[in-house]
Amino acid sequence: MITHFNMPLNVLPMPLLRWASKHLVGLGTRFGKFMPLNDVDMRKAEIPMSAKEYATMSMVIILFYFVFFGFLFFVMAFRLFTKLDIFLPLVVSMVFSLLVFVQLVTFPIIRVTKKVRDLDRNLVFALRTILVQLRSGISLFESMKVVAEGNYGAVSKEFKRAVDQISTGTIQEIALERIAEYNPSIFFRRAIWQIVNGMRAGADITTVLGESVDSLTEAQSIQIRNYESQMKILSLVYMMLGVIVPALGITFLIVLSSFPQIQITELYFWILLAGVGIAQFMYMGIVKSKRPTLLGD
């Protein structure tokens, strides 16, 4: 199962990476203490390995990059500088290895975040499709098959797992519980649990599902109102970054240039431009992260 998954930033063959990690399990277990990940996070991110295996493979990848960049910068420094400080390539290699470590730690978190957004974006439409099918007299299993075969992103994948399990003899309630157990979306879990509880209580699934859709629609409205209030504040921040800060910065530099003791060169204006560009790029990332998960991208 692991052969179908490749570690991020890994340039080594997976068989070689697994072989090296098997011989470094002890060190990998200790290294895993620096990675805030557990087996539940692995299952939510759909990474087919345990947290210990992921930590061990990450350690091997980091060691590879540490040696690679250390050797590379040592050769470059040896050719460019007559007096070589042996610690300089080591420091540069450690910095690059730290960046690789951050990428490996955040990789499962990023996968979970993307999956949650995909699930929440399509959940309301998928549940409405099931609701329409049920009201048309179609069974719940056939309704789930429609969603599983439809274009509902990660929601279709989850329902396909349930449909496959039910087709092999699993009870519907148990199959639905399994797809909700390690699902990272709280809205998806809540909707599935409501359906399961309604089935076990003998309630009308159409009524239960209708209430779930109504609650999701209300949650969507609340997220939109919160997003609207946040955007009012963020718009003021954008005015500061895009208009006020550049104008005041240029004015300040012009005033300083009037003093003969202070030399204001063109470099200062380029630095100001770069700073404003970086700030606006970060602003766009903040705005995107604040977007409600129940809305489309």
Side-chain angles (χ1 to χ4, degrees):
M1 193 173 182
I2 299 178
T3 55
H4 300 288
F5 174 81
N6 193 19
M7 295 284 292
L9 301 178
N10 177 38
V11 296
L12 300 173
M14 281 301 292
L16 177 61
L17 181 61
R18 292 199 305 270
W19 178 84
S21 62
K22 286 181 180 179
H23 293 78
L24 297 173
V25 175
L27 292 175
T29 303
R30 298 177 183 177
F31 181 78
K33 297 179 180 179
F34 299 97
M35 303 183 73
L37 300 171
N38 52 45
D39 292 341
V40 176
D41 296 326
M42 296 294 104
R43 295 196 63 172
K44 288 182 177 180
E46 296 183 347
I47 298 177
M49 63 181 69
S50 65
K52 183 172 66 175
E53 291 173 321
Y54 184 84
T56 307
M57 291 186 182
S58 299
M59 183 190 68
V60 174
I61 294 173
I62 293 171
L63 289 175
F64 169 78
Y65 278 104
F66 178 79
V67 174
F68 173 78
F69 284 117
F71 177 76
L72 178 63
F73 286 107
F74 178 82
V75 173
M76 292 175 59
F78 182 78
R79 289 179 175 271
L80 295 176
F81 303 102
T82 55
K83 293 183 179 180
L84 176 63
D85 189 355
I86 190 63
F87 292 103
L88 180 60
L90 292 177
V91 172
V92 176
S93 180
M94 289 180 63
V95 171
F96 276 90
S97 300
L98 180 61
L99 295 176
V100 174
F101 170 76
V102 173
Q103 177 66 26
L104 290 170
V105 171
T106 57
F107 176 73
I109 301 173
I110 293 173
R111 281 177 65 100
V112 170
T113 302
K114 289 182 178 180
K115 183 178 179 181
V116 169
R117 286 192 172 275
D118 192 2
L119 286 165
D120 292 348
R121 184 173 63 247
N122 296 285
L123 182 59
V124 177
F125 304 106
L127 293 181
R128 282 176 178 169
T129 300
I130 296 177
L131 183 59
V132 170
Q133 297 288 325
L134 290 174
R135 287 174 176 173
S136 301
I138 300 175
S139 65
L140 178 61
F141 176 71
E142 294 297 330
S143 302
M144 290 192 296
K145 283 184 65 177
V146 172
V147 173
E149 297 171 358
N151 188 20
Y152 298 99
V155 179
S156 294
K157 295 180 181 178
E158 294 297 324
F159 275 101
K160 189 177 186 308
R161 288 173 49 203
V163 168
D164 292 341
Q165 293 179 26
I166 295 171
S167 299
T168 56
T170 306
I171 301 175
Q172 285 187 349
E173 294 91 327
I174 297 177
L176 290 173
E177 280 185 337
R178 287 176 180 175
I179 65 173
E181 184 178 6
Y182 293 101
N183 194 283
S185 171
I186 185 173
F187 295 107
F188 185 88
R189 293 200 307 269
R190 186 183 301 167
I192 297 300
W193 284 335
Q194 287 177 345
I195 295 174
V196 172
N197 291 334
M199 294 173 66
R200 288 178 173 171
D204 185 7
I205 302 300
T206 304
T207 304
V208 174
L209 197 57
E211 293 176 352
S212 298
V213 173
D214 292 339
S215 64
L216 284 172
T217 305
E218 179 63 25
Q220 190 178 59
S221 301
I222 294 173
Q223 286 189 354
I224 292 174
R225 289 195 294 269
N226 293 336
Y227 184 64
E228 181 182 1
S229 61
Q230 291 174 351
M231 285 302 299
K232 292 179 180 178
I233 300 175
L234 290 175
S235 61
L236 297 176
V237 175
Y238 180 78
M239 289 292 293
M240 291 282 294
L241 296 176
V243 179
I244 299 176
V245 172
L248 291 179
I250 293 174
T251 304
F252 183 69
L253 291 176
I254 292 174
V255 172
L256 287 179
S257 64
S258 62
F259 295 95
Q261 298 87 355
I262 302 177
Q263 297 293 328
I264 301 298
T265 62
E266 184 180 354
L267 177 63
Y268 289 91
F269 293 93
W270 284 109
I271 293 175
L272 177 62
L273 178 61
V276 172
I278 294 173
Q280 294 201 15
F281 181 78
M282 296 175 61
Y283 170 83
M284 290 188 293
I286 293 174
V287 171
K288 187 176 181 180
S289 65
K290 295 295 183 179
R291 187 176 179 85
T293 57
L294 288 172
L295 294 181
D297 292 335

